[in-house]
Amino acid sequence: MNQVVLAVSDRGNAADQRGQEASRPPVRRAALRYQDLLLRGAANELARPRQAIEQSFLQMGDGLGNCVKLLELLSAAHEALPIELSSAEFSAAAQTLVEIRDHVNAIARSHADEKDHVSLLAEMTGRVEQPMSDLRATVRAIGRISTNARIVAAGFGASNQDVTAFTSDMASLAQKVNEAVDAFSLGYERLSKRLAAARLTNSAFVARHGNTIAQIAQTLESGLETIAVFQKQVESIADERAATTSQIRARIGKAIFALQIGDITRQRIEHVEKACELLRDRSHVQATQEAMAAIGRLQLMQLDQTIGRFEEEVSDLTENINGLSKNAVAVLNEGSDEAQTLLSAGSGSLSRMAAELRHICSLLSEFERARVEQERIVADVTRSVAEMVGHLQSIRAIEQQIRMLSFNATIQCCSVDDGEEGRGLGAVAQQLRELSNQTVAAASAIMAGLKGADDQTRVLMDERNALDSQQIDAVREGAATAIAVFERVASRLRASTERIKTVGRRAVWLLGMTSRRVSDRQRISNGWRLAHSKLEQFMTSAADSPNPDAVDQWLRDELRSVYTMEDERRTYDEFFSIEPNEPASADAESGDLDDMFL
């Protein structure tokens, strides 16, 4: 603000002034010294509050300005939240979560089917047990028939070499079929033990993770729903907080504008101070006591108007800032608590989601180990079935030989005389035919069971191939990426929560400090009232009746040049009875120009 400096001429010197005072009567000199003391005291009483108002309103302006900056930071923090949750990175992580959920559901289905396939495989191989038992019984019967055939052959004596060869061949075949059945039985026993171990492994896995996959899938589904709700809530709150924060900023802007009353008052007080300095300059101002009293009266009017307007404006400002402070405190605290609750919940949800994904990665490793073990089981079953089929083929080949031997025995019966020996050899041939048929039936039943086991093994292998290592690795990589994104977003949400809380508290504190400073206006006004009292004493000590007409024109112009405010000039014009349309002096025109630039 441009300041108009009084052009005080340097007429006379201190010696001349002392000489003039010495020439006055003693009573007159005492009155002038008293007046000088009053004017100096008034100037001092004006200066101290003026300096206080300058510092106080500067602090209030700085506080409100910093508060606006803090509110801008607060708005930016709120506005950044939905941006954070709608970023391409976060959207990709959420989509990855959907894919992982689908993979987890596929694993759950695969594992459930797998348990059924192992049970079915065990059931299929179990069907071999009864026909294999029948086959063993047939083999034992063949051994007994072989013994009976040797007894019959002994009755023929050494005269029939064909019968002797028959019994020898029959004993050899009985031994072969017994060995083949024993080998087949060993293969079946190994297969049964392997499948029993597989069922135990599955039972143990189910005991550990029977419901884990379903629970994780449900957790992922719930997490996706939570994220979607959280995004909507954040968007809604961000919009609401942006609107309320903008309103508070606008009210603070009005309060900052209202703080101009401090600068206006400061300038007007300075003008009264300058008038006091002018009155004290005896070497420059040679005015009558009536004129001095009139000038004192004018300053009282200016001071009354200044104090009145200051009180009125600052009272409104105090009410507005107090109301603004209370409202802003409530809004900011609510926003801070709301943000802390919401962001803490969101951050917690994302952290839990990251933990669940880590758990999923750990489970996938277990599933991968279980898958590899199951592949070994499948390979063992396939190998065992192939070996058993090979042994079964041997048994069938031996069965063909037994059938042929039975046919030869029947022919041999025709070449011997009727009698006990012939009937005995015929009975052996008949029994061999029946045992051969039983062997075929048992082998066919066993082959059917093995065929079912082999088919079930292929189904199990197809199921295992549906979730291979590459798919599991892809799930692991996607989970690792989503974990990193969720943890980064959760960390930033926690930082945003702390920032909103800290900035909100700082803004609340600044508003409270400003409210207390503006409420301290009474201390400033009290100093001016003391100055007012001293000016009244000065006016009454100068003359009983102030006479504006006694003031010389040059002194009027000197006073008029100081005033830069429209209210001051209006008061001046009213005091000296100047009509509004009366042309102003050159100094007044200069003041108007100053007013325009101010």
Side-chain angles (χ1 to χ4, degrees):
M1 185 73 66
N2 295 333
Q3 299 293 334
V4 179
V5 180
L6 289 174
V8 180
S9 65
D10 194 24
R11 294 181 300 173
N13 50 38
D16 294 338
Q17 185 175 358
R18 286 195 299 270
Q20 291 173 4
E21 291 181 355
S23 64
R24 295 189 178 105
V27 177
R28 176 61 176 164
R29 288 198 303 270
L32 291 176
R33 283 196 298 271
Y34 177 64
Q35 290 177 0
D36 184 73
L37 184 62
L38 290 172
L39 289 172
R40 182 182 300 154
N44 290 335
E45 295 297 345
L46 290 171
R48 281 192 295 270
R50 172 178 57 79
Q51 294 168 355
I53 194 175
E54 185 174 3
Q55 180 180 7
S56 179
F57 275 72
L58 180 62
Q59 290 174 343
M60 284 190 283
D62 290 342
L64 291 175
N66 290 331
C67 191
V68 169
K69 293 178 182 178
L70 290 174
L71 291 174
E72 289 174 352
L73 291 176
L74 202 60
S75 294
H78 279 293
E79 291 169 0
L81 296 178
I83 296 175
E84 182 76 51
L85 296 176
S86 60
S87 65
E89 181 185 50
F90 190 82
S91 298
Q95 180 59 36
T96 300
L97 205 61
V98 174
E99 296 171 359
I100 292 174
R101 178 202 60 189
D102 295 340
H103 279 300
V104 168
N105 286 328
I107 291 173
R109 289 193 300 271
S110 174
H111 183 58
D113 292 342
E114 182 179 295
K115 289 185 293 185
D116 292 338
H117 290 319
V118 172
S119 298
L120 288 173
L121 183 57
E123 181 182 341
M124 291 296 180
T125 55
R127 294 176 183 176
V128 175
E129 188 169 351
Q130 184 58 47
M132 189 177 67
S133 178
D134 295 341
L135 183 61
R136 279 187 173 279
T138 301
V139 169
R140 287 193 296 271
I142 291 174
R144 289 194 297 272
I145 293 299
S146 174
T147 301
N148 293 335
R150 285 197 298 272
I151 294 173
V152 172
F156 283 98
S159 59
N160 195 328
Q161 296 295 326
D162 291 336
V163 173
T164 302
F166 164 75
T167 57
S168 177
D169 290 342
M170 188 172 178
S172 176
L173 290 176
Q175 180 65 29
K176 287 180 180 180
V177 73
N178 189 60
E179 291 174 354
V181 170
D182 285 343
F184 182 89
S185 297
L186 287 175
Y188 175 76
E189 184 178 356
R190 286 196 300 271
L191 177 60
S192 298
K193 289 180 179 179
R194 196 71 177 96
L195 288 175
R199 296 182 75 172
L200 288 175
T201 300
N202 276 334
S203 297
F205 193 88
V206 169
R208 290 196 309 272
H209 306 298
N211 297 322
T212 301
I213 294 298
Q215 291 172 355
I216 289 178
Q218 184 177 0
T219 300
L220 293 175
E221 187 70 33
S222 176
L224 287 168
E225 294 175 358
T226 300
I227 289 174
V229 172
F230 180 57
Q231 286 175 317
K232 292 181 180 179
Q233 288 177 335
V234 167
E235 290 176 1
S236 175
I237 290 177
D239 293 340
E240 180 182 346
R241 291 303 160 206
T244 55
T245 305
S246 177
Q247 292 173 359
I248 295 174
R249 286 206 309 267
R251 292 183 63 181
I252 291 177
K254 292 180 180 179
I256 292 175
F257 182 78
L259 289 177
Q260 291 182 5
I261 187 61
D263 190 56
I264 292 172
T265 303
R266 177 188 60 79
Q267 292 184 60
R268 296 190 68 170
I269 294 297
E270 285 180 344
H271 299 163
V272 176
E273 291 180 61
K274 291 183 184 298
C276 291
E277 292 176 4
L278 180 63
L279 292 174
R280 290 180 58 208
D281 188 3
R282 307 295 184 196
S283 62
H284 182 66
V285 178
Q286 301 295 326
T288 64
Q289 288 297 300
E290 289 79 7
M292 298 288 281
I295 295 173
R297 177 60 182 165
L298 175 61
Q299 302 318 305
L300 284 172
M301 293 173 61
Q302 295 286 11
L303 188 57
D304 283 337
Q305 188 180 64
T306 301
I307 295 174
R309 183 177 178 190
F310 176 78
E311 287 288 350
E312 180 183 357
E313 293 287 341
V314 174
S315 178
D316 292 341
L317 179 61
T318 301
E319 183 178 352
N320 290 336
I321 289 185
N322 286 340
L324 169 62
S325 177
K326 291 179 181 178
N327 184 31
V329 166
V331 170
L332 293 176
N333 286 337
E334 180 185 357
S336 178
D337 294 341
E338 190 176 51
Q340 185 172 5
T341 301
L342 178 62
L343 297 183
S344 296
S347 176
S349 296
L350 293 178
S351 297
R352 286 192 297 274
M353 195 62 58
E356 289 296 338
L357 289 175
R358 284 196 179 87
H359 189 197
I360 290 172
C361 290
S362 174
L363 284 177
L364 286 176
S365 297
E366 290 194 39
F367 272 94
E368 176 66 6
R369 289 192 292 271
R371 188 185 72 86
V372 173
E373 178 63 22
Q374 198 67 39
E375 286 179 352
R376 292 197 192 99
I377 293 172
V378 170
D380 288 347
V381 169
T382 302
R383 185 170 55 253
S384 297
V385 169
E387 291 175 358
M388 291 168 66
V389 168
H391 295 313
L392 197 60
Q393 295 294 344
S394 299
I395 293 171
R396 280 188 166 181
I398 295 171
E399 180 270 330
Q400 291 294 332
Q401 295 178 27
I402 292 174
R403 189 179 294 276
M404 184 60 68
L405 186 63
S406 173
F407 180 70
N408 291 336
T410 301
I411 295 174
Q412 188 67 33
C413 288
C414 297
S415 63
V416 297
D417 297 335
D418 291 335
E420 194 67 27
E421 292 83 359
R423 287 193 299 273
L425 188 60
V428 168
Q430 179 62 30
Q431 289 177 352
L432 283 177
R433 283 195 298 274
E434 292 175 357
L435 291 175
S436 175
N437 292 334
Q438 293 175 10
T439 301
V440 171
S444 297
I446 291 172
M447 184 60 75
L450 294 179
K451 176 69 166 56
D454 186 62
D455 292 341
Q456 196 62 40
T457 302
R458 295 179 186 279
V459 172
L460 181 58
M461 181 59 73
D462 292 340
E463 290 289 341
R464 298 307 305 164
N465 290 337
L467 191 68
D468 57 18
S469 296
Q470 291 182 349
Q471 288 177 305
I472 293 178
D473 290 341
V475 172
R476 282 202 197 99
E477 291 176 4
T481 301
I483 287 171
V485 172
F486 290 153
E487 288 185 338
R488 283 197 298 272
V489 173
S491 176
R492 288 196 286 263
L493 288 178
R494 287 191 293 269
S496 296
T497 303
E498 191 61 32
R499 188 182 309 113
I500 289 172
K501 183 168 62 176
T502 302
V503 171
R505 286 177 178 174
R506 179 64 180 170
V508 166
W509 182 83
L510 282 175
L511 283 172
M513 285 296 296
T514 303
S515 178
R516 287 189 290 274
R517 285 194 178 105
V518 77
S519 298
D520 197 29
R521 69 189 188 281
Q522 193 64 41
R523 181 177 57 85
I524 297 174
S525 300
N526 289 339
W528 292 334
R529 288 189 175 88
L530 290 174
H532 187 280
S533 176
K534 292 183 183 299
L535 282 174
E536 282 184 330
Q537 294 177 44
F538 165 78
M539 183 186 69
T540 56
S541 68
D544 293 335
S545 299
N547 184 8
D549 295 334
V551 181
D552 293 338
Q553 186 61 46
W554 72 268
L555 190 52
R556 294 187 185 188
D557 292 341
E558 192 82 16
L559 292 170
R560 183 66 162 76
S561 65
V562 174
Y563 300 138
T564 56
M565 307 294 173
E566 184 63 31
D567 287 347
E568 293 178 304
R569 294 172 180 173
R570 189 179 299 111
T571 301
Y572 172 91
D573 292 342
E574 291 175 357
F575 182 74
F576 287 107
S577 301
I578 299 174
E579 296 296 331
N581 57 357
E582 185 175 333
S585 64
D587 288 335
E589 292 177 358
S590 175
D592 290 339
L593 290 176
D594 289 336
D595 208 15
M596 289 176 60
F597 287 108
L598 290 171

